[in-house]
Amino acid sequence: EIVLTQSPGTLSLSPGERATLSCRARQTISRNYLAWYQQKPGQAPRLLIYGASSRATGIPDRFSGSVSGTDFTLTISRLEPEDFAMYYCQKYDKSPLTFGGGTRVEIK
Amino acid sequence: EVQLLESGGGLVQPGGSLRLSCAASGFTFSAYAMSWVRQAPGEGLEWVSLIRYTGVDTYYADSVKGRFTISRDNSKNTLYLQMNGLRAEDTAIYYCAKTHNNGWVSDYWGQGTLVTVSS
């Protein structure tokens, strides 16, 4: 089973700053089938990025994803107030469709 | 507009059973695989199960294998999760999610239904 390790656990930043979130897999994920989700308190998760770098429908272009080997990165170029939330990565190439432990982006 | 509406959650004693339902609308339900994902109070997301669009192939997390059964009725646009042998650690919000047409990523989610396992 592939384990996904997200870091940091918490990211404290100010609006307008750049956020860089990491998701590291222990093994190769086929076809880079790695997704990023955003979740706010009391809400269901929302898909941001799939295929490591493709934005989901309606997602602003300040969100971007990239990959280098087994290291995946979600970048928020300039944080808006509504971006402060939890972020999860998930592999979806094959079962089990494991999630990472999450990164909280909080207001500094 | 894609809509997913879960129901069937509630309070159940350890060892008990519960069946969750997810009513889907706004898309061709029979064409997409569907997933269940859960989230324990204050914890992260945990994938539970997935069923292919035909309903023939199913997949489970090790934590629920042998106790939970995913199924679907494409004529009713409804997804199910039969949960038997419930444990305290199964307490969570259970979300159903539609998969994308490019792999099993979950592109639309319901609002979830809370399952509490307690005596």
Side-chain angles (χ1 to χ4, degrees):
Chain A
E1 178 176 333
I2 295 179
V3 174
L4 298 179
T5 302
Q6 290 190 242
S7 62
T10 302
L11 201 50
S12 298
L13 295 168
S14 300
E17 290 194 294
R18 182 184 188 90
T20 303
L21 288 68
S22 172
C23 176
R24 176 167 292 177
R26 286 189 184 174
Q27 302 171 42
T28 299
I29 296 175
S30 302
R31 291 172 287 182
N32 287 331
Y33 272 7
L34 189 286
W36 290 94
Y37 300 89
Q38 176 193 70
Q39 188 181 32
K40 298 179 181 179
Q43 296 185 17
R46 176 174 72 145
L47 176 65
L48 299 175
I49 300 287
Y50 64 94
S53 60
S54 297
R55 270 188 300 277
T57 302
I59 301 304
D61 61 7
R62 64 179 181 274
F63 290 92
S64 63
S66 62
V67 56
S68 176
T70 59
D71 292 338
F72 297 82
T73 301
L74 173 69
T75 302
I76 310 171
S77 58
R78 289 172 52 185
L79 283 163
E80 297 288 340
E82 61 268 28
D83 299 336
F84 291 91
M86 283 294 296
Y87 292 84
Y88 296 94
C89 60
Q90 183 198 26
K91 61 170 283 294
Y92 60 94
D93 55 338
K94 57 187 175 184
S95 178
L97 280 58
T98 313
F99 285 92
T103 291
R104 179 183 306 277
V105 178
E106 65 176 25
I107 299 177
K108 186 174 182 180
Chain B
E1 178 191 5
V2 172
Q3 292 195 347
L4 299 167
L5 183 62
E6 302 95 336
S7 61
L11 175 63
V12 60
Q13 292 188 338
S17 298
L18 214 53
R19 187 175 86 153
L20 306 183
S21 299
C22 172
S25 62
F27 65 103
T28 305
F29 179 73
S30 60
Y32 294 91
M34 297 290 293
S35 279
W36 286 100
V37 176
R38 69 184 180 183
Q39 186 169 36
E43 301 295 324
L45 300 172
E46 180 186 16
W47 172 77
V48 173
S49 183
L50 179 141
I51 186 167
R52 286 188 185 262
Y53 67 100
T54 60
V56 172
D57 297 308
T58 58
Y59 307 86
Y60 298 94
D62 286 346
S63 58
V64 306
K65 199 171 295 182
R67 300 187 299 123
F68 290 12
T69 302
I70 190 171
S71 63
R72 64 192 297 160
D73 186 336
N74 286 343
S75 68
K76 296 182 178 179
N77 291 347
T78 303
L79 175 71
Y80 303 101
L81 186 68
Q82 177 67 44
M83 304 185 294
N84 299 331
L86 283 162
R87 308 166 180 167
E89 55 264 37
D90 296 318
T91 294
I93 296 173
Y94 285 72
Y95 297 100
C96 74
K98 168 190 169 292
T99 63
H100 195 263
N101 58 7
N102 185 354
W104 288 344
V105 60
S106 296
D107 58 354
Y108 289 93
W109 298 63
Q111 284 305 302
T113 187
L114 176 62
V115 172
T116 303
V117 184
S118 175
S119 55

